[in-house]
Amino acid sequence: MVKSPSLRGRPFILEVKVSAHVDELETDAEKALQQIYDKRYMEELLAEGYKKIDCYGIAFFRKDCEIRFGEGG
């Protein structure tokens, strides 16, 4: 979780997974993003007064990477 110094700024939440195989990158990135929503990681930021929160589910396999983007708030 990275917060902005101002409540008008845009904080973001990152959930990172390591994939066992390159073919699992897309699925694991989706799982990472879904974990942010399932575990309600953005609730703390919303309680502090942030209005818009960016969420990123990221999966790595060696030097390959897949990213999924979502919004909260």
Side-chain angles (χ1 to χ4, degrees):
M1 185 179 306
V2 178
K3 298 179 184 180
S4 170
S6 167
L7 290 178
R8 294 183 301 160
R10 199 152 183 150
F12 59 93
I13 300 170
L14 301 172
E15 179 62 33
V16 180
K17 304 277 186 199
V18 177
S19 297
H21 193 272
V22 71
D23 294 333
E24 298 172 2
L25 282 171
E26 293 174 7
T27 304
D28 288 344
E30 285 291 336
K31 286 180 184 177
L33 184 60
Q34 191 59 48
Q35 181 176 330
I36 292 170
Y37 296 124
D38 291 347
K39 295 200 175 191
R40 309 183 123 198
Y41 291 159
M42 64 194 89
E43 299 250 337
E44 177 185 333
L45 295 171
L46 292 170
E48 288 182 27
Y50 291 100
K51 301 293 182 208
K52 295 186 178 188
I53 304 163
D54 292 336
C55 302
Y56 297 91
I58 304 171
F60 288 96
F61 177 75
R62 297 183 185 161
K63 292 187 177 186
D64 285 320
C65 173
E66 185 73 28
I67 301 171
R68 291 291 183 263
F69 173 76
E71 292 183 293

